[in-house]
Amino acid sequence: MKSFDEIVDDLNISGSELSEWIEHNWVLPTQEDGTILFTDDDESRVRLLNEMINDIGVNYEAMPIILRSMDQVYNLRTLLGHLATAIQALPADSRQELEEIIRSRG
């Protein structure tokens, strides 16, 4: 986990900009004993925000829509990963039957 100041220094962004992103709930760090802490996922999100806003020029009005769509894709990928794991746990004949059903509808 990294502190607010570490994220600002490591990613070369302003503290006021990072604070604004937190206020908009675009990144959701945790707080322990008055210290704001960022997980690796939080840091990745801050990197993404920085790139989209400062490098690509995405405006603040569009950001909620973009982030919501990205979060939905991420959640779907996670769900598909769980589904793939569950399918792999099935007996071979059940997996084969499921594959046949999927192919017949595709």
Side-chain angles (χ1 to χ4, degrees):
M1 304 256 284
K2 290 186 178 178
S3 71
F4 184 94
D5 291 336
E6 289 172 319
I7 293 291
V8 167
D9 290 341
D10 290 353
L11 302 183
N12 195 30
I13 59 174
S14 74
S16 61
E17 189 166 39
L18 181 54
S19 292
E20 191 170 358
W21 298 345
I22 293 169
E23 288 173 21
H24 284 298
N25 292 319
W26 294 347
V27 61
L28 303 169
T30 59
Q31 195 165 18
E32 292 180 17
D33 299 324
T35 302
I36 297 173
L37 297 172
F38 295 81
T39 64
D40 290 342
D41 287 343
D42 295 329
E43 182 177 359
S44 295
R45 186 144 178 134
V46 171
R47 283 182 194 278
L48 178 66
L49 287 165
N50 189 39
E51 184 177 310
M52 287 193 302
I53 292 168
N54 296 315
D55 296 344
I56 298 172
V58 173
N59 64 41
Y60 273 54
E61 292 78 28
M63 193 57 66
I65 297 164
I66 293 169
L67 292 175
R68 190 170 30 256
S69 297
M70 290 176 59
D71 289 343
Q72 288 173 343
V73 169
Y74 176 80
N75 290 334
L76 284 172
R77 288 183 66 184
T78 301
L79 181 60
L80 286 173
H82 293 312
L83 182 59
T85 300
I87 289 170
Q88 287 301 107
L90 292 172
D93 59 332
S94 296
R95 281 195 316 268
Q96 184 176 359
E97 185 178 335
L98 183 58
E99 285 178 21
E100 290 171 8
I101 292 169
I102 292 170
R103 282 193 187 117
S104 72
R105 301 207 176 147

